[in-house]
Short mmCIF file of all heavy atoms in Angstrom, two decimals:
data_model
loop_
_atom_site.label_atom_id
_atom_site.label_comp_id
_atom_site.label_asym_id
_atom_site.label_seq_id
_atom_site.Cartn_x
_atom_site.Cartn_y
_atom_site.Cartn_z
N ILE A 49 11.50 -21.32 -10.83
CA ILE A 49 11.96 -20.04 -10.30
C ILE A 49 13.00 -19.30 -11.18
O ILE A 49 13.90 -19.90 -11.68
CB ILE A 49 12.58 -20.11 -8.89
CG1 ILE A 49 11.54 -20.69 -7.87
CG2 ILE A 49 13.15 -18.86 -8.40
CD1 ILE A 49 11.99 -21.05 -6.53
N ILE A 50 12.63 -18.08 -11.54
CA ILE A 50 13.54 -17.35 -12.45
C ILE A 50 14.91 -17.12 -11.90
O ILE A 50 15.04 -16.65 -10.68
CB ILE A 50 12.85 -15.95 -12.80
CG1 ILE A 50 11.58 -16.19 -13.55
CG2 ILE A 50 13.90 -15.09 -13.67
CD1 ILE A 50 10.83 -14.92 -13.88
N GLU A 51 15.95 -17.37 -12.74
CA GLU A 51 17.34 -17.15 -12.29
C GLU A 51 17.63 -15.83 -11.85
O GLU A 51 18.30 -15.47 -10.80
CB GLU A 51 18.27 -17.72 -13.26
CG GLU A 51 19.77 -17.68 -12.85
CD GLU A 51 20.75 -18.17 -13.93
OE1 GLU A 51 20.27 -18.64 -15.01
OE2 GLU A 51 21.91 -18.18 -13.66
N ASP A 52 17.22 -14.87 -12.73
CA ASP A 52 17.61 -13.44 -12.44
C ASP A 52 16.35 -12.56 -12.56
O ASP A 52 16.04 -11.94 -13.55
CB ASP A 52 18.55 -12.92 -13.47
CG ASP A 52 19.04 -11.48 -13.28
OD1 ASP A 52 18.77 -10.96 -12.13
OD2 ASP A 52 19.73 -10.94 -14.04
N PRO A 53 15.57 -12.53 -11.41
CA PRO A 53 14.33 -11.72 -11.42
C PRO A 53 14.62 -10.21 -11.59
O PRO A 53 13.76 -9.45 -11.95
CB PRO A 53 13.61 -12.11 -10.16
CG PRO A 53 14.82 -12.47 -9.22
CD PRO A 53 15.79 -13.10 -10.12
N TYR A 54 15.73 -9.78 -11.09
CA TYR A 54 16.10 -8.35 -11.15
C TYR A 54 16.10 -7.79 -12.55
O TYR A 54 15.60 -6.72 -12.82
CB TYR A 54 17.33 -8.12 -10.45
CG TYR A 54 17.33 -8.52 -9.01
CD1 TYR A 54 17.91 -9.68 -8.65
CD2 TYR A 54 16.79 -7.75 -7.99
CE1 TYR A 54 17.90 -10.26 -7.31
CE2 TYR A 54 16.85 -8.17 -6.75
CZ TYR A 54 17.34 -9.48 -6.41
OH TYR A 54 17.30 -9.96 -5.09
N SER A 55 16.63 -8.50 -13.40
CA SER A 55 16.77 -8.14 -14.89
C SER A 55 15.41 -8.07 -15.46
O SER A 55 15.06 -7.12 -16.32
CB SER A 55 17.61 -9.10 -15.69
OG SER A 55 18.99 -9.05 -15.24
N LEU A 56 14.50 -8.95 -15.08
CA LEU A 56 13.18 -9.00 -15.58
C LEU A 56 12.36 -7.79 -15.10
O LEU A 56 11.71 -7.00 -15.90
CB LEU A 56 12.40 -10.18 -15.00
CG LEU A 56 10.90 -10.31 -15.38
CD1 LEU A 56 10.66 -10.41 -16.89
CD2 LEU A 56 10.27 -11.53 -14.70
N LEU A 57 12.53 -7.31 -13.79
CA LEU A 57 12.00 -6.09 -13.28
C LEU A 57 12.45 -4.91 -14.05
O LEU A 57 11.65 -4.03 -14.39
CB LEU A 57 12.24 -5.98 -11.83
CG LEU A 57 11.54 -6.99 -10.99
CD1 LEU A 57 11.86 -6.68 -9.45
CD2 LEU A 57 9.98 -7.00 -11.06
N LEU A 58 13.76 -4.87 -14.31
CA LEU A 58 14.32 -3.65 -15.02
C LEU A 58 13.75 -3.61 -16.44
O LEU A 58 13.29 -2.54 -16.97
CB LEU A 58 15.87 -3.84 -15.12
CG LEU A 58 16.58 -3.54 -13.72
CD1 LEU A 58 18.03 -3.88 -13.94
CD2 LEU A 58 16.42 -2.12 -13.33
N GLU A 59 13.58 -4.69 -17.15
CA GLU A 59 12.97 -4.81 -18.37
C GLU A 59 11.55 -4.35 -18.35
O GLU A 59 10.99 -3.64 -19.25
CB GLU A 59 13.13 -6.23 -19.03
CG GLU A 59 14.56 -6.64 -19.32
CD GLU A 59 14.62 -8.04 -19.83
OE1 GLU A 59 13.54 -8.59 -20.15
OE2 GLU A 59 15.73 -8.63 -19.96
N LEU A 60 10.86 -4.87 -17.48
CA LEU A 60 9.40 -4.50 -17.31
C LEU A 60 9.21 -3.08 -17.15
O LEU A 60 8.29 -2.52 -17.92
CB LEU A 60 8.81 -5.29 -16.04
CG LEU A 60 7.38 -4.87 -15.74
CD1 LEU A 60 6.38 -5.37 -16.76
CD2 LEU A 60 7.05 -5.59 -14.34
N PHE A 61 9.82 -2.35 -16.34
CA PHE A 61 9.65 -0.96 -16.04
C PHE A 61 10.39 -0.06 -17.19
O PHE A 61 9.86 1.03 -17.43
CB PHE A 61 10.20 -0.61 -14.70
CG PHE A 61 9.42 -1.02 -13.61
CD1 PHE A 61 9.75 -2.14 -12.84
CD2 PHE A 61 8.26 -0.43 -13.22
CE1 PHE A 61 9.00 -2.63 -11.82
CE2 PHE A 61 7.38 -0.87 -12.18
CZ PHE A 61 7.83 -1.97 -11.42
N GLU A 62 11.30 -0.63 -17.89
CA GLU A 62 11.80 0.12 -19.03
C GLU A 62 10.81 0.16 -20.18
O GLU A 62 10.70 1.10 -20.83
CB GLU A 62 13.12 -0.58 -19.41
CG GLU A 62 13.87 0.16 -20.59
CD GLU A 62 14.26 1.54 -20.24
OE1 GLU A 62 14.59 1.80 -18.95
OE2 GLU A 62 14.39 2.48 -21.03
N GLU A 63 10.13 -1.02 -20.42
CA GLU A 63 9.17 -1.14 -21.47
C GLU A 63 7.79 -0.47 -21.13
O GLU A 63 7.01 -0.14 -22.05
CB GLU A 63 8.91 -2.66 -21.84
CG GLU A 63 10.26 -3.36 -22.31
CD GLU A 63 9.98 -4.87 -22.53
OE1 GLU A 63 8.88 -5.32 -22.18
OE2 GLU A 63 10.95 -5.52 -22.92
N ASN A 64 7.42 -0.46 -19.84
CA ASN A 64 6.26 0.18 -19.43
C ASN A 64 6.45 1.34 -18.62
O ASN A 64 6.27 1.30 -17.41
CB ASN A 64 5.39 -0.98 -18.59
CG ASN A 64 5.08 -2.16 -19.62
OD1 ASN A 64 4.06 -2.15 -20.26
ND2 ASN A 64 5.88 -3.17 -19.42
N LYS A 65 6.78 2.41 -19.22
CA LYS A 65 7.09 3.57 -18.45
C LYS A 65 5.86 4.38 -17.99
O LYS A 65 5.96 5.25 -17.11
CB LYS A 65 7.88 4.49 -19.40
CG LYS A 65 9.27 4.00 -19.73
CD LYS A 65 10.09 4.94 -20.63
CE LYS A 65 11.42 4.30 -20.91
NZ LYS A 65 12.29 5.30 -21.82
N ASN A 66 4.69 4.07 -18.48
CA ASN A 66 3.51 4.77 -18.11
C ASN A 66 2.53 3.95 -17.20
O ASN A 66 1.36 3.89 -17.38
CB ASN A 66 2.77 5.30 -19.37
CG ASN A 66 3.62 6.21 -20.22
OD1 ASN A 66 4.22 7.12 -19.66
ND2 ASN A 66 3.52 6.10 -21.51
N LEU A 67 3.12 3.13 -16.37
CA LEU A 67 2.38 2.33 -15.51
C LEU A 67 1.54 3.16 -14.59
O LEU A 67 2.08 4.12 -14.03
CB LEU A 67 3.23 1.37 -14.60
CG LEU A 67 3.97 0.21 -15.42
CD1 LEU A 67 4.96 -0.49 -14.59
CD2 LEU A 67 2.92 -0.75 -15.95
N LYS A 68 0.28 2.80 -14.30
CA LYS A 68 -0.65 3.60 -13.56
C LYS A 68 -0.21 3.46 -12.08
O LYS A 68 0.01 2.52 -11.56
CB LYS A 68 -2.03 3.05 -13.74
CG LYS A 68 -3.09 3.88 -13.06
CD LYS A 68 -4.48 3.31 -13.39
CE LYS A 68 -5.58 4.20 -12.65
NZ LYS A 68 -7.00 3.62 -12.97
N THR A 69 -0.20 4.63 -11.40
CA THR A 69 0.09 4.77 -10.01
C THR A 69 -1.12 4.31 -9.15
O THR A 69 -2.29 4.66 -9.51
CB THR A 69 0.49 6.19 -9.59
OG1 THR A 69 1.67 6.64 -10.40
CG2 THR A 69 0.85 6.29 -8.11
N ALA A 70 -0.93 3.53 -8.14
CA ALA A 70 -2.05 3.09 -7.24
C ALA A 70 -2.72 4.28 -6.61
O ALA A 70 -2.00 5.24 -6.05
CB ALA A 70 -1.50 2.18 -6.24
N THR A 71 -4.00 4.29 -6.64
CA THR A 71 -4.76 5.25 -5.99
C THR A 71 -5.78 4.81 -4.90
O THR A 71 -6.53 5.57 -4.33
CB THR A 71 -5.61 6.12 -7.00
OG1 THR A 71 -6.43 5.31 -7.73
CG2 THR A 71 -4.68 6.83 -8.06
N ASP A 72 -5.75 3.47 -4.74
CA ASP A 72 -6.78 2.91 -3.82
C ASP A 72 -6.20 2.37 -2.49
O ASP A 72 -6.78 1.59 -1.78
CB ASP A 72 -7.48 1.72 -4.48
CG ASP A 72 -6.51 0.66 -5.05
OD1 ASP A 72 -5.27 0.89 -4.96
OD2 ASP A 72 -7.03 -0.43 -5.30
N LYS A 73 -4.93 2.82 -2.15
CA LYS A 73 -4.32 2.36 -0.92
C LYS A 73 -4.93 3.17 0.23
O LYS A 73 -5.28 4.24 0.10
CB LYS A 73 -2.80 2.56 -1.04
CG LYS A 73 -2.16 1.80 -2.17
CD LYS A 73 -2.39 0.42 -2.20
CE LYS A 73 -1.83 -0.32 -3.34
NZ LYS A 73 -2.13 -1.82 -3.40
N LEU A 74 -4.90 2.45 1.33
CA LEU A 74 -5.52 3.13 2.54
C LEU A 74 -4.45 4.12 3.08
O LEU A 74 -3.25 3.79 3.43
CB LEU A 74 -5.77 2.01 3.62
CG LEU A 74 -6.94 1.14 3.31
CD1 LEU A 74 -7.22 0.18 4.55
CD2 LEU A 74 -8.27 2.00 3.11
N ILE A 75 -4.95 5.38 3.30
CA ILE A 75 -4.06 6.46 3.88
C ILE A 75 -4.83 6.94 5.14
O ILE A 75 -5.96 7.50 5.04
CB ILE A 75 -3.92 7.58 2.88
CG1 ILE A 75 -3.26 7.06 1.53
CG2 ILE A 75 -3.03 8.66 3.43
CD1 ILE A 75 -3.18 8.09 0.47
N LYS A 76 -4.15 6.83 6.26
CA LYS A 76 -4.73 7.23 7.57
C LYS A 76 -5.29 8.59 7.49
O LYS A 76 -4.60 9.65 7.15
CB LYS A 76 -3.63 7.06 8.62
CG LYS A 76 -4.00 7.44 10.01
CD LYS A 76 -2.94 7.18 11.03
CE LYS A 76 -3.45 7.50 12.45
NZ LYS A 76 -2.35 7.22 13.44
N GLY A 77 -6.49 8.71 7.92
CA GLY A 77 -7.17 10.02 7.99
C GLY A 77 -7.70 10.63 6.68
O GLY A 77 -8.58 11.48 6.68
N GLU A 78 -7.17 10.05 5.57
CA GLU A 78 -7.54 10.51 4.35
C GLU A 78 -8.78 9.73 3.71
O GLU A 78 -9.76 10.24 3.29
CB GLU A 78 -6.42 10.56 3.36
CG GLU A 78 -6.80 11.12 1.94
CD GLU A 78 -5.63 11.18 1.06
OE1 GLU A 78 -4.52 11.65 1.49
OE2 GLU A 78 -5.74 10.93 -0.15
N ASN A 79 -8.58 8.49 3.70
CA ASN A 79 -9.61 7.57 3.27
C ASN A 79 -9.99 6.44 4.24
O ASN A 79 -10.80 5.54 4.05
CB ASN A 79 -9.36 6.88 1.87
CG ASN A 79 -8.05 6.09 1.94
OD1 ASN A 79 -7.52 5.84 2.93
ND2 ASN A 79 -7.64 5.61 0.77
N TYR A 80 -9.42 6.51 5.47
CA TYR A 80 -9.97 5.54 6.49
C TYR A 80 -9.70 6.28 7.85
O TYR A 80 -8.71 6.91 8.02
CB TYR A 80 -9.33 4.19 6.46
CG TYR A 80 -8.06 4.02 7.09
CD1 TYR A 80 -8.04 3.45 8.36
CD2 TYR A 80 -6.85 4.31 6.49
CE1 TYR A 80 -6.78 3.23 9.01
CE2 TYR A 80 -5.64 4.15 7.13
CZ TYR A 80 -5.63 3.59 8.42
OH TYR A 80 -4.45 3.39 8.99
N VAL A 81 -10.57 5.89 8.88
CA VAL A 81 -10.33 6.15 10.24
C VAL A 81 -10.81 4.88 11.04
O VAL A 81 -11.55 4.11 10.50
CB VAL A 81 -10.98 7.43 10.77
CG1 VAL A 81 -10.48 8.70 10.10
CG2 VAL A 81 -12.51 7.33 10.64
N ILE A 82 -10.35 4.81 12.27
CA ILE A 82 -10.92 3.80 13.19
C ILE A 82 -11.60 4.53 14.40
O ILE A 82 -11.09 5.42 14.94
CB ILE A 82 -9.75 2.92 13.60
CG1 ILE A 82 -9.23 2.13 12.50
CG2 ILE A 82 -10.25 1.96 14.74
CD1 ILE A 82 -8.05 1.23 12.87
N LEU A 83 -12.81 3.96 14.70
CA LEU A 83 -13.67 4.53 15.77
C LEU A 83 -13.85 3.58 16.89
O LEU A 83 -13.95 2.37 16.61
CB LEU A 83 -14.98 4.93 15.18
CG LEU A 83 -14.93 5.98 13.95
CD1 LEU A 83 -16.39 6.26 13.45
CD2 LEU A 83 -14.28 7.28 14.44
N PRO A 84 -14.11 4.04 18.04
CA PRO A 84 -14.37 3.15 19.24
C PRO A 84 -15.79 2.81 19.28
O PRO A 84 -16.63 3.71 18.87
CB PRO A 84 -13.86 4.03 20.39
CG PRO A 84 -14.22 5.38 19.97
CD PRO A 84 -13.98 5.45 18.54
N LEU A 85 -16.15 1.78 19.83
CA LEU A 85 -17.52 1.40 20.12
C LEU A 85 -17.83 1.76 21.61
O LEU A 85 -18.88 1.22 22.09
CB LEU A 85 -17.77 -0.14 19.87
CG LEU A 85 -17.67 -0.53 18.36
CD1 LEU A 85 -17.85 -2.10 18.19
CD2 LEU A 85 -18.69 0.18 17.52
N TYR A 86 -17.07 2.47 22.21
CA TYR A 86 -17.29 2.76 23.54
C TYR A 86 -16.84 4.27 23.92
O TYR A 86 -16.32 4.98 23.05
CB TYR A 86 -16.25 1.85 24.41
CG TYR A 86 -14.82 2.01 23.94
CD1 TYR A 86 -13.99 3.01 24.53
CD2 TYR A 86 -14.28 1.14 23.05
CE1 TYR A 86 -12.68 3.09 23.99
CE2 TYR A 86 -13.07 1.30 22.63
CZ TYR A 86 -12.19 2.20 23.11
OH TYR A 86 -10.89 2.36 22.69
N GLY A 87 -17.05 4.63 25.16
CA GLY A 87 -16.63 6.05 25.61
C GLY A 87 -15.64 5.79 26.73
O GLY A 87 -15.09 4.64 26.91
N MET A 88 -15.24 6.88 27.47
CA MET A 88 -14.32 6.82 28.48
C MET A 88 -14.95 7.40 29.81
O MET A 88 -15.69 8.37 29.69
CB MET A 88 -13.01 7.61 28.15
CG MET A 88 -12.23 7.10 26.99
SD MET A 88 -11.59 5.36 27.19
CE MET A 88 -10.42 5.60 28.49
N LYS A 89 -14.74 6.72 30.89
CA LYS A 89 -15.24 7.14 32.12
C LYS A 89 -14.18 6.88 33.19
O LYS A 89 -13.79 5.69 33.40
CB LYS A 89 -16.51 6.40 32.46
CG LYS A 89 -17.28 6.82 33.84
CD LYS A 89 -18.55 6.16 33.97
CE LYS A 89 -19.25 6.59 35.17
NZ LYS A 89 -20.54 5.79 35.43
N ASN A 90 -13.76 8.03 33.89
CA ASN A 90 -12.65 7.85 34.94
C ASN A 90 -11.43 7.19 34.35
O ASN A 90 -10.80 6.32 35.04
CB ASN A 90 -13.19 7.11 36.12
CG ASN A 90 -14.31 7.86 36.80
OD1 ASN A 90 -14.39 9.09 36.82
ND2 ASN A 90 -15.40 7.08 37.35
N GLY A 91 -11.07 7.46 33.12
CA GLY A 91 -9.93 6.91 32.47
C GLY A 91 -10.04 5.43 32.01
O GLY A 91 -9.04 4.81 31.52
N GLU A 92 -11.31 4.94 32.15
CA GLU A 92 -11.51 3.44 31.68
C GLU A 92 -12.47 3.49 30.59
O GLU A 92 -13.39 4.29 30.43
CB GLU A 92 -11.98 2.66 32.88
CG GLU A 92 -11.08 2.66 34.11
CD GLU A 92 -9.85 1.77 33.82
OE1 GLU A 92 -9.98 0.88 33.02
OE2 GLU A 92 -8.85 2.01 34.55
N LYS A 93 -12.40 2.35 29.76
CA LYS A 93 -13.34 2.17 28.73
C LYS A 93 -14.71 1.84 29.34
O LYS A 93 -14.83 1.17 30.30
CB LYS A 93 -12.94 0.96 27.83
CG LYS A 93 -11.62 1.22 26.99
CD LYS A 93 -11.27 0.01 26.15
CE LYS A 93 -10.05 0.17 25.35
NZ LYS A 93 -9.69 -0.96 24.50
#
């Protein structure tokens, strides 16, 4: 286990300033929705 992981992270992002931003994360309503397999009748599934 690295003694000082924080310094390592600072060095990593200092040396790699052009790291690619994630574009494949799930965003509600934008790239995913959840649908029911049922309807509603008298307030019940």
Side-chain angles (χ1 to χ4, degrees):
I49 297 176
I50 295 173
E51 181 179 359
D52 184 9
Y54 301 97
S55 295
L56 176 62
L57 291 180
L58 289 173
E59 292 175 12
L60 171 66
F61 287 101
E62 184 65 29
E63 294 174 2
N64 297 275
K65 296 181 179 180
N66 297 317
L67 291 172
K68 186 177 179 180
T69 302
T71 58
D72 60 347
K73 302 303 180 185
L74 290 182
I75 302 174
K76 181 179 180 180
E78 183 174 319
N79 58 6
Y80 88 97
V81 296
I82 294 177
L83 302 177
L85 293 175
Y86 55 86
M88 298 297 293
K89 184 177 181 180
N90 300 323
E92 300 289 336
K93 293 180 181 180

